[in-house]
Amino acid sequence: MPERITAEDVSHVARLARLNIAPDELELFTSQLGDILEYAADMAALDLDGVEPMGHPHGLRNVMRADVLTPSLDRAEVMAAAPSTESGMFRVPPVLGEEL
Amino acid sequence: MSDLTTARQMAASVTARSVSATELIEVSLAAIAERDGEISAFNLVTADDARRQAAVIDARLAAGEEVGPLAGVPIALKDNLCTRGVPTTCSSKILDGWRPPYDATVVERLAAAGAISVGKTNLDEFAMGSSTENSAFGPTRNPHDTSRVPGGSSGGSAAAVAAGYVPLSLGSDTGGSIRQPAALCGVVGVKPTYGLVSRYGLVAFASSLDQIGPFANSVSDAALLLEVIAGHDARDSTSIPQPVADLSAHLDDGVAGLRVGIVNEFMVDGIADDVRRQTHAAAEALAAAGAIVGEASVPAAAYGLGAYYLIAPAEASSNLARYDGVRFGLRVDANNTPDMYDETRTAGFGDEVKRRIMLGTYALSAGYYDAYYGTAQKVRSLIRRDFDRAYEQYDVLLSPTSPTTAFALGDKTADPLTMYLNDICTIPTNLAGHPAMSVPFGVGDDGLPIGVQIMAPMLGEVTMFRAAAVLEGAAPAGSTTNRVTR
Amino acid sequence: MSSELPNGWKMVIGLEVHTELATETKLFSGSANHFGGEPNTQLDPVSLGLPGSLPVLNERAVELAIRIGLALNCVVQRSVFARKNYFYPDQPKDFQISQYELPINGEGHLDLPDGSTVGITRAHLEEDTGKSSHMGSGGGRIHDAEYTLVDYNRAGVPLLEIVSEPDMRTAEQAKVYVTELRSILVAVRASDGKMEEGSMRVDANVSVRRSDNDPFGTRCEIKNVNSIRSLGRAIDFEARRQIDLLEAGESIRQETRHWNEDEGRTVTLRSKEEATDYRYFPEPDLVELDPDPAWIEEIRAALPMLPRERRLQLTARTGASTEASSLIVERGLDEMVLAALDAGGDPGRLITHAQQLSDDRAVGLDPSAFAELSTMESSGAISATQAKTVLARMVDTGEQPSAIAADLGFEAMASNELETIVDGLIAAHADEWAKFVAGEQKVMGFFVGAVMKATGGKADGKAVSAILNQRRG
């Protein structure tokens, strides 16, 4: 198992997950996450050689649907739930770059 | 109408028109109005909708139409089930007021069966928790003792049945979120086989673990509700294609010759003495009814909690990414979209949700995937393998549902891990995908309900319910089970 | 621009082509897969990423993916869908369902008309994003936008991402690869291959090295290439950009760059502190895809003849050159030409005319009419120039060639009448004739043109040339 999680790690994953963690929260979260991960680290005791990761509890495969049109959602109903719209589109502040 | 305590009785009476759906709904709404100020089982009571639906059902029956097996029965829905046009909040600020433009499959099936929803019940935010204290709208209280928690995450739905507002409710179970509150509230709660009930319209927490299931006052009513909601749904790719077994027909088959194994790995030190005693008593009751009881071992289950707290948060971190202020729900405005994401999510999510999102993101992140998520999925295979081996020797397995009776509000909120330990007996079955249910059996030294857990192999609901029915019939004096003829 | 890089540098190119698949509905839901609808009218809970929505795989998309895989000689295999996690407003779930470790199509290869072979690493299924419009004074560019509007109609449209091995060595070869790939996509009816409309998108990975024996250099990815011609320009620019840096003693930073068509250069996108960690993991809402071998064989058996086979067939049956065959097959006219051949058409003339048929409607030509036209010409009843005119009208109106020729009053000129006219022109243009006799071959064109003018286009160009050559001695 890897080393204990650090505050820097927590800051990093918070950024990836788009969460702002205040400095006074960071220490607490780091310690809590560290405890949980340490608990989980007991798994290292198991012999996992040759064990396949579990996909789904049942062995279903090849679940597909026919290429048939279904009715669209009512745009008005969808837009009514949106925080900000313009000309039938969802409006967001400037994006700044290609991927975030 | 006081003899109408089970859903079956209610539906039969409404269908026979000896009582109207309208009357049933009024009784339900009155009970809610009287007591829910204190218990807070509901986020939203949909009184007008319920009355309207009741009137429609009464009219249809008057016109000689068939309505369905749950005709006129009031029911409560956990607030992570999508209900078209009706707010579905997941007890989170980030979805406060959001009205889905569609119904969950289970909601459609309930309506088709004639059931009438009286409202949406409280839960731990996004179903993450074991006490309903993580709700952004305040906790729900245990109807047996309002200083105590009802359990979680489906605390509201469990309380709604326990408080007598409704005979049936729906919850969801990812690591025990139906069974544990059922035990703490003294009602029957069922987590079906993974894939038996469609997840379409269930706001996802952990996709490979989540299942919707019934709360009821009796094993028979739970079976009825499960039959209504279960079955293949083409809109859920993980939905099992096989037709649902006829549970109701086999409820009274008894347990003669049934092999019952008490799971060693769940009878650990952390289990309270009174809970342990009742679990053994339950085993004796089954033996007295003709079952063959022994000790079963599911060695890898001891690692279930660790594996779960990597897999579930990992899937959740991805499932909850969509809450970004763009298309629905809360938006905190900012000068640019990246900041908008950050501020919306920071303001909208509670601490437990944030904790799990970060944990899950970490478990999936570059350099850590193999050690955490990857390893946890392998441990999961082992747990399933060990359960399957146990099922070669036993038809059903038995254990406590929860290590203790209901604890006091605020008791376990200081340390997340302490709270997580409540699910030590329930989590492994979610990982395996097997069905499991909690049946009230006795009370603790504090007079609060105790539930015992019955587990069965994949699609083993018939056998599971048979054993549950026997336990219900043999439950000690003071148990909360509603012992009525079916 | 010369295709040779300076100082003997070599380039290495790999291409990632995303093609939309021509299904009725989206990859994971039943909303329409249709270009150009009113914004946000082709939506369902899945396309919008609404809470509680679940994906269900489109069988036809899988069929088309397998068709393309088989056409590219790929191994069609068991595959698993995976989530690619990142935040962006046009990504409704803030993750994309794609395939990661186990793609539906494994290794394959594509044989190009020029005789080279390019390896295919993989071709996998994934869903498309919505469309963002960056608004404000910035002219649609991200960096100057005041706000952004998002349309999710396209979100969830099925894509196949086809990744080539870094086997290409020139921009020209890359263009040939894309051209051939596109004709395969069109031939198997999996896509309409319209780069300009975005149904086929090409990203190029380019690096340079001093010799073919050296290990690969650091590569850069180029995006925003919207035509095959732009692809060539972008690759050449990028290779030279990298060479300039390396020769100046600098190193290449591995990054994604944006092709600016107007300025003719690649520019770096906003630099990020770290590469995005997509945290791929298997999609828990979907089960494994393991196509039944019998189904794969059915699809293989139903594959139409691929462009390469069609080219070979056309050449074998008509004697057409490689270039001619390529052009005719690319236009989709080979089937019609072969049918005309079967109806007794003259192969040489069929090929000559087919190469020049750029009208889209030409594929609707009646083969026996085309055959008749070619024999009218080969028998001398009409000249080549006249035949061209008749053919154009055939494409336009669908009339029979003999009717058109009669209507236009075409008949070939008698050869002595032609000789008289030629002699007359030779006499009238003694200076030009002297130049021609002295060996200036270009002057032929002058005389042929003059003859055409004098005969109102009725002369047969070949006959005129023959006479001129004969007169020259």
Side-chain angles (χ1 to χ4, degrees):
Chain A
M1 283 276 157
E3 312 246 311
R4 190 164 167 106
I5 192 171
T6 63
E8 204 182 296
D9 293 328
V10 175
S11 294
H12 173 69
V13 295
R15 243 192 331 273
L16 282 177
R18 308 240 62 107
L19 294 170
N20 291 331
I21 305 297
D24 58 339
E25 293 177 301
L26 185 59
E27 203 184 307
L28 181 60
F29 276 135
T30 305
S31 130
Q32 289 171 338
L33 291 177
D35 290 342
I36 297 164
L37 288 165
E38 225 169 64
Y39 185 96
D42 285 353
M43 294 189 309
L46 289 168
D47 178 15
L48 296 173
D49 243 355
V51 178
E52 286 300 304
M54 182 149 159
H56 281 98
H58 42 48
L60 287 180
R61 305 172 317 147
N62 297 334
V63 174
M64 291 182 273
R65 62 178 172 86
D67 187 25
V68 168
L69 201 61
T70 53
S72 177
L73 285 174
D74 175 43
R75 184 169 82 178
E77 194 176 355
V78 166
M79 291 293 153
S84 176
T85 64
E86 185 182 291
S87 316
M89 290 184 272
F90 296 86
R91 180 177 163 143
V92 295
V95 170
L96 296 190
E98 285 280 310
E99 272 174 12
L100 307 166
Chain B
M1 216 174 0
S2 57
D3 54 340
L4 289 183
T5 44
T6 72
R8 286 189 199 262
Q9 288 167 342
M10 289 180 192
S13 299
V14 168
T15 304
R17 307 190 64 215
S18 55
V19 76
S20 70
T22 303
E23 285 171 80
L24 284 183
I25 295 309
E26 290 305 335
V27 168
S28 173
L29 293 173
I32 296 168
E34 189 186 320
R35 229 189 142 192
D36 211 41
E38 193 195 5
I39 292 177
S40 297
F42 284 92
N43 283 343
L44 177 71
V45 178
T46 50
D48 291 340
D49 273 350
R51 288 179 173 123
R52 193 164 32 241
Q53 286 172 51
V56 167
I57 288 191
D58 286 333
R60 286 173 59 198
L61 287 166
E65 281 178 45
E66 295 225 353
V67 170
L70 290 176
V73 177
I75 190 163
L77 302 173
K78 186 175 183 180
D79 205 12
N80 60 356
L81 290 167
C82 285
T83 42
R84 185 174 182 180
V86 174
T88 300
T89 70
C90 300
S91 289
S92 176
K93 286 188 254 181
I94 220 167
L95 278 181
D96 195 5
W98 177 60
R99 292 170 192 266
Y102 75 106
D103 279 322
T105 296
V106 295
V107 171
E108 286 178 350
R109 290 183 182 184
L110 284 176
I116 298 171
S117 169
V118 293
K120 310 297 291 296
T121 60
N122 199 14
L123 58 150
D124 282 297
E125 188 181 357
F126 282 108
M128 299 183 192
S130 310
S131 66
T132 311
E133 292 172 288
N134 292 330
S135 166
F137 308 136
T140 296
R141 292 160 186 283
N142 192 315
H144 296 280
D145 177 343
T146 56
S147 71
R148 309 265 181 157
V149 302
S153 63
S154 313
S157 280
V161 171
Y165 304 152
V166 288
L168 298 174
S169 68
L170 284 185
S172 69
D173 190 312
T174 305
S177 289
I178 290 176
R179 292 161 284 160
Q180 184 255 18
L184 268 51
C185 288
V187 297
V188 176
V190 183
K191 182 201 87 71
T193 301
Y194 181 85
L196 186 65
V197 178
S198 169
R199 291 183 297 117
Y200 184 76
L202 170 67
V203 178
F205 159 16
S207 315
S208 74
L209 301 164
D210 293 342
Q211 270 294 280
I212 299 169
F215 286 101
N217 278 315
S218 68
V219 172
S220 169
D221 271 1
L224 176 61
L225 180 49
L226 184 54
E227 281 167 348
V228 166
I229 60 173
H232 182 249
D233 181 13
R235 292 177 293 191
D236 177 353
S237 299
T238 61
S239 170
I240 293 176
Q242 285 100 304
V244 187
D246 187 350
L247 297 172
S248 301
H250 295 281
L251 284 174
D252 295 328
D253 283 4
V255 295
L258 203 72
R259 300 164 303 164
V260 178
I262 305 176
V263 179
N264 283 335
E265 286 75 14
F266 295 158
M267 298 300 267
V268 292
D269 287 343
I271 305 295
D273 287 339
D274 49 5
V275 172
R276 188 187 299 273
R277 249 181 282 130
Q278 290 303 340
T279 308
H280 284 297
E284 280 155 28
L286 289 169
I292 304 158
V293 178
E295 277 177 24
S297 189
V298 185
Y303 300 92
L305 204 82
Y308 176 84
Y309 277 103
L310 291 172
I311 295 171
E315 294 182 7
S317 70
S318 178
N319 283 330
L320 269 62
R322 70 193 66 204
Y323 303 104
D324 58 10
V326 175
R327 291 161 298 282
F328 51 84
L330 179 74
R331 176 188 289 194
V332 175
D333 271 307
N335 290 331
N336 58 70
T337 288
D339 285 349
M340 181 195 78
Y341 285 158
D342 294 346
E343 290 176 32
T344 298
R345 292 164 64 80
T346 304
F349 289 138
D351 281 351
E352 183 60 31
V353 170
K354 286 178 183 165
R355 219 173 346 255
R356 297 198 195 192
I357 288 175
M358 289 190 287
L359 191 51
T361 305
Y362 187 67
L364 291 174
S365 62
Y368 293 105
Y369 180 99
D370 287 335
Y372 288 126
Y373 186 78
T375 300
Q377 287 286 37
K378 291 183 181 180
V379 171
R380 188 175 177 177
S381 291
L382 285 186
I383 293 174
R384 170 60 183 263
R385 185 198 65 186
D386 285 354
F387 265 114
D388 285 342
R389 281 184 187 160
Y391 285 122
E392 285 167 19
Q393 298 194 292
Y394 294 100
D395 300 306
V396 296
L397 299 176
L398 187 70
S399 80
T401 302
S402 165
T404 64
T405 55
F407 43 92
L409 285 146
D411 238 13
K412 305 200 181 189
T413 47
D415 173 31
L417 203 43
T418 311
M419 186 64 85
Y420 296 168
L421 288 166
N422 282 299
D423 294 325
I424 204 151
C425 300
T426 48
I427 274 174
T429 33
N430 294 88
L431 292 168
H434 294 145
M437 64 192 287
S438 182
V439 179
F441 199 87
V443 292
D445 297 338
D446 48 19
L448 290 169
I450 286 176
V452 292
Q453 178 176 232
I454 304 164
M455 297 160 270
M458 295 295 278
L459 294 174
E461 274 80 355
V462 170
T463 317
M464 185 174 75
F465 271 84
R466 279 167 55 194
V470 167
L471 279 183
E472 178 182 59
S479 298
T480 51
T481 320
N482 193 346
R483 277 185 262 182
V484 291
T485 50
R486 293 184 244 286
Chain C
M1 181 182 280
S2 151
S3 56
E4 285 296 306
L5 293 174
N7 298 332
W9 283 90
K10 308 288 183 199
M11 69 166 97
V12 173
I13 304 154
L15 295 180
E16 282 167 25
V17 174
H18 286 82
T19 174
E20 288 181 5
L21 297 177
T23 55
E24 285 296 312
T25 63
K26 297 184 177 182
L27 185 55
F28 295 117
S29 68
S31 286
N33 172 8
H34 163 67
F35 181 79
E38 275 294 298
N40 293 307
T41 54
Q42 291 159 211
L43 295 183
D44 59 86
V46 179
S47 314
L48 268 178
L50 293 185
S53 60
L54 293 173
V56 185
L57 183 58
N58 181 337
E59 185 175 36
R60 182 120 177 105
V62 176
E63 185 189 337
L64 294 179
I66 294 176
R67 262 197 221 169
I68 297 172
L70 292 173
L72 295 176
N73 306 290
C74 294
V75 177
V76 177
Q77 58 196 13
R78 179 186 144 247
S79 64
V80 168
F81 287 95
R83 293 191 184 179
K84 179 180 182 184
N85 298 282
Y86 69 96
F87 285 85
Y88 202 73
D90 68 10
Q91 191 63 269
K93 301 182 291 300
D94 292 300
F95 63 83
Q96 177 197 38
I97 301 179
S98 177
Q99 296 186 310
Y100 185 53
E101 286 176 346
L102 284 173
I104 182 170
N105 293 312
E107 282 179 17
H109 63 270
L110 179 52
D111 298 319
L112 301 186
D114 66 5
S116 67
T117 297
V118 175
I120 305 287
T121 314
R122 53 187 275 151
H124 70 259
L125 281 164
E126 61 183 30
E127 51 179 357
D128 207 349
T129 63
K131 235 173 134 27
S132 305
S133 306
H134 305 295
M135 313 295 285
S137 47
R141 286 189 300 275
I142 290 178
H143 296 89
D144 307 313
E146 284 162 30
Y147 61 97
T148 295
L149 296 178
V150 191
D151 171 18
Y152 294 103
N153 280 354
R154 198 184 68 180
V157 159
L159 297 176
L160 193 74
E161 177 177 333
I162 304 164
V163 182
S164 83
E165 290 286 320
D167 286 350
M168 288 162 274
R169 297 289 176 265
T170 64
E172 191 52 42
Q173 190 187 16
K175 287 161 71 176
V176 171
Y177 171 89
V178 174
T179 305
E180 182 72 355
L181 181 58
R182 180 171 64 185
S183 52
I184 287 176
L185 296 176
V186 172
V188 302
R189 285 184 304 282
S191 171
D192 61 17
K194 294 188 180 160
M195 269 181 87
E196 288 79 2
E197 276 181 21
S199 53
M200 192 174 89
R201 305 163 215 167
V202 182
D203 297 330
N205 287 297
V206 179
S207 67
V208 296
R209 54 185 178 173
R210 288 219 179 256
S211 91
D212 288 333
N213 297 317
D214 285 350
F216 291 164
T218 305
R219 68 174 196 267
C220 290
E221 184 183 25
I222 308 170
K223 285 183 169 305
N224 198 46
V225 168
N226 294 323
S227 69
I228 293 183
R229 187 172 157 270
S230 295
L231 178 66
R233 293 178 64 212
I235 291 172
D236 277 327
F237 173 87
E238 179 58 21
R240 282 167 170 74
R241 182 193 75 87
Q242 292 186 15
I243 289 166
D244 287 344
L245 280 172
L246 291 169
E247 286 193 334
E250 294 179 46
S251 59
I252 308 296
R253 186 171 54 151
Q254 180 168 350
E255 59 177 352
T256 301
R257 297 177 69 84
H258 186 94
W259 170 246
N260 186 315
E261 179 66 31
D262 296 332
E263 295 177 26
R265 61 195 192 98
T266 62
V267 292
T268 191
L269 294 178
R270 181 177 72 111
S271 67
K272 294 170 275 190
E273 289 133 34
E274 58 214 19
T276 314
D277 179 4
Y278 293 116
R279 288 159 278 131
Y280 284 98
F281 70 102
E283 170 58 78
D285 288 330
L286 291 171
V287 298
E288 227 174 67
L289 180 60
D290 196 6
D292 186 20
W295 188 37
I296 298 174
E297 278 322 298
E298 238 178 76
I299 297 172
R300 189 196 304 273
L303 276 179
M305 198 177 280
L306 296 179
R308 181 165 180 269
E309 294 151 325
R310 287 161 60 186
R311 288 191 295 266
L312 292 172
Q313 177 183 242
L314 189 63
T315 297
R317 295 198 55 200
T318 64
S321 69
T322 318
E323 290 100 51
S325 276
S326 281
L327 194 58
I328 293 168
V329 167
E330 200 182 314
R331 293 205 178 121
L333 296 174
D334 51 312
E335 202 176 304
M336 189 272 299
V337 166
L338 289 175
L341 184 70
D342 288 336
D346 173 84
R349 285 173 170 83
L350 289 174
I351 293 300
T352 304
H353 285 295
Q355 278 182 84
Q356 297 175 343
L357 278 171
S358 54
D359 191 316
D360 278 347
R361 297 170 294 173
V363 72
L365 270 172
D366 171 25
S368 28
F370 192 31
E372 193 189 328
L373 177 74
S374 70
T375 52
M376 279 165 70
E377 189 190 336
S378 60
S379 70
I382 55 173
S383 71
T385 318
Q386 288 171 327
K388 204 168 159 188
T389 308
V390 171
L391 185 56
R393 192 159 132 178
M394 279 166 69
V395 170
D396 199 26
T397 65
E399 291 167 86
Q400 288 297 305
S402 44
I404 299 171
D407 187 47
L408 293 174
F410 284 172
E411 71 250 357
M413 302 208 64
S415 77
N416 53 4
E417 196 187 333
L418 193 55
E419 285 176 36
T420 312
I421 294 177
V422 171
D423 289 335
L425 286 169
I426 289 173
H429 301 280
D431 289 337
E432 281 76 10
W433 184 248
K435 284 183 193 166
F436 182 63
V437 167
E440 277 188 44
Q441 197 60 23
K442 285 188 297 195
V443 187
M444 165 92 78
F446 168 77
F447 278 102
V448 171
V451 171
M452 288 305 181
K453 202 166 155 199
T455 62
K458 287 190 193 174
D460 178 18
K462 282 211 199 111
V464 173
S465 306
I467 296 171
L468 288 167
N469 280 325
Q470 197 203 51
R471 287 293 184 267
R472 182 175 57 178

